[in-house]
Amino acid sequence: MARPRRYVLQTFGCQMNAHDSLRIEEKLQDAGYEPAQDTANASLVVVNTCSIRDKAEHKLMSMLGTYRLLKQERADLILAVAGCVAQQEGDRLLRKAPYVDFVFGPDNISDVPWLLHEAEGGAPPRVHTVFDLDQPAFLPARPRAGDVTSYVTTMKGCDERCTFCIVPHTRGPERYRPADEIVGDIARLVDGGAREITLLGQTVNSWHDPSRAEPSRTRGPMSTSDFPALLRQIAGAVPSLVRLRYTSPHPRHVTEALIAAHAELDVLPAHVHLPVQSGADRVLRRMKRRYTRDEYIERARRLQGARSGMTLSTDIIVGFPGETEEDFAQTLSLVEEVGFVSAFCFKYSERPYTPALRLGPMVDEAEKDERLRRLFSVIDRLQSAHLGQLVGSQQTVLVEGPSPGQHGGPDAKRWVGRTERNEIVHVEASSDADLTASMVDVTILEAYRRSLLGRMDAHAARPAPRRMRLPLAG
């Protein structure tokens, strides 16, 4: 008797990888596969990989070693590798792990059904990692039952060429999705129950309308992005959308028009994640970030002033080649000056095919660890102070679902959601009514290390509001 067609999909990495995994799942289901509870029940295992951090390939090979043993026990098990490591390694991956049935890159998700068909028919292992440069294709997002928040991709690839980053190699040059497709995706997701959408792109605010003639645009120091006009078009065309976020923007594309959009569009929350990477001009030049410390601070200040209560978070790399103690001290002082409420902080790690490999001197690992500890100490203090200031305040929370209880299951009278500034709030409710997708007014009772506790005000739950229809562009 044939084994049921069931899959396990393991995902590593950023929001883009999470989005890609949703599209992979949809293609698997189109091919007649259903989710499995675990690998013991699966006839297909897909590993969607990320190559941003150090030793990603080693971690993948260790995981594949486990699946090799599983394949020895079950000859009919199909094993596939997707994502950025798949794109990066290609044929080398099959040479290292010849028991993998097929390897495919981020641009080849739509081809999963025929790759599966070949593998099921006994075809030899295949690598399919081709960029769709001539005719970029973007898979439409499908509504998923119960999803209050969803992702919509706006572009692929990156033209920035930061010296530490492998993304241009694994995801190719920038290719932009037409505005009408983006708006159509958002409208379908909102009609299906989503209330918050996050626009995705490697440098999301460098988006250009592909229907327009393409000028030299991003090559010069001044951005000519169409991204602010896209935000206005979405706000006008999908009035039922409650919140519109985007990640990750590049500081040099924070234009006057984008700042004005934050001041004028209610659908944009009072929070932006704006990667800085370093606070030292010397390091920023070596990273090829194409802005200075002062330019970053000025744009951050302009964003913070665009609306009341605006907060910023960021990404920071410590121990970049040649970073001195003085350079690192400038990063700490920038963090204090801007006042980030949270940050993703990493030690520099060498990535193949990146120009930073030719830079030096390398910072000692122990010194990287110490700098990371000091950075986290500053970030934690700023975050704690920010969350502590909110105790006693009234906040509006978009509820995403039940909050995990003490034993891991849902708590019938506690829910979790986010404020417009992206603070996580655990909401105590007075009834067992399902608050998912509701906007609730809460009083903040307590600040935890990374989140808040709030009590729902009486009669405070309401459906997500419909907004006034705005002009389609501006």
Side-chain angles (χ1 to χ4, degrees), residues 92-128:
R92 287 188 299 275
L93 182 54
L94 283 188
R95 289 197 292 271
K96 297 175 185 175
Y99 47 89
V100 171
D101 292 284
F102 61 94
V103 175
F104 63 101
D107 275 9
N108 309 119
I109 295 172
S110 61
D111 296 324
V112 164
W114 71 257
L115 290 168
L116 261 178
H117 180 73
E118 284 194 343
E120 290 168 340
R126 172 186 284 272
V127 173
H128 189 48

Side-chain angles (χ1 to χ4, degrees), residues 52-70:
I52 292 294
R53 300 263 66 82
D54 189 19
K55 300 180 181 175
E57 303 84 14
H58 300 296
K59 294 174 184 176
L60 172 63
M61 294 310 300
S62 176
M63 179 178 296
L64 292 181
T66 301
Y67 291 135
R68 179 182 187 176
L69 298 176
L70 197 59

Side-chain angles (χ1 to χ4, degrees), residues 106-171:
D107 275 9
N108 309 119
I109 295 172
S110 61
D111 296 324
V112 164
W114 71 257
L115 290 168
L116 261 178
H117 180 73
E118 284 194 343
E120 290 168 340
R126 172 186 284 272
V127 173
H128 189 48
T129 53
V130 181
F131 289 130
D132 56 1
L133 301 181
D134 295 330
Q135 293 182 311
F138 295 86
L139 293 174
R142 302 179 191 176
R144 295 164 63 94
D147 279 1
V148 178
T149 65
S150 294
Y151 297 119
V152 170
T153 187
T154 63
M155 59 181 290
K156 302 178 183 184
C158 184
D159 289 345
E160 292 297 327
R161 297 294 192 269
C162 299
T163 59
F164 56 80
C165 187
I166 195 174
V167 165
H169 179 81
T170 58
R171 294 205 176 245

Side-chain angles (χ1 to χ4, degrees), residues 376-410:
F376 277 135
S377 177
V378 173
I379 293 291
D380 287 348
R381 173 169 51 79
L382 292 174
Q383 185 173 39
S384 295
H386 169 69
L387 295 177
Q389 290 173 353
L390 298 176
V391 174
S393 69
Q394 307 295 306
Q395 301 293 329
T396 299
V397 176
L398 174 60
V399 177
E400 298 175 11
S403 180
Q406 292 183 349
H407 303 290

Side-chain angles (χ1 to χ4, degrees), residues 166-181:
I166 195 174
V167 165
H169 179 81
T170 58
R171 294 205 176 245
E174 290 184 8
R175 287 146 288 156
Y176 309 108
R177 190 178 188 187
D180 289 346
E181 284 189 22

Side-chain angles (χ1 to χ4, degrees), residues 285-328:
R285 285 193 299 272
R286 289 165 68 84
M287 289 179 168
K288 201 176 179 181
R289 289 294 286 173
R290 295 197 280 182
Y291 54 80
T292 66
R293 172 195 174 96
D294 287 346
E295 286 170 343
Y296 181 94
I297 292 174
E298 190 269 338
R299 291 169 198 186
R301 287 280 178 260
R302 298 287 302 281
L303 276 172
Q304 289 169 323
R307 63 191 305 171
S308 176
M310 175 74 83
T311 61
L312 299 179
S313 56
T314 197
D315 296 337
I316 297 173
I317 296 172
V318 302
F320 188 76
E323 181 189 67
T324 65
E325 175 61 28
E326 181 181 353
D327 294 329
F328 177 67

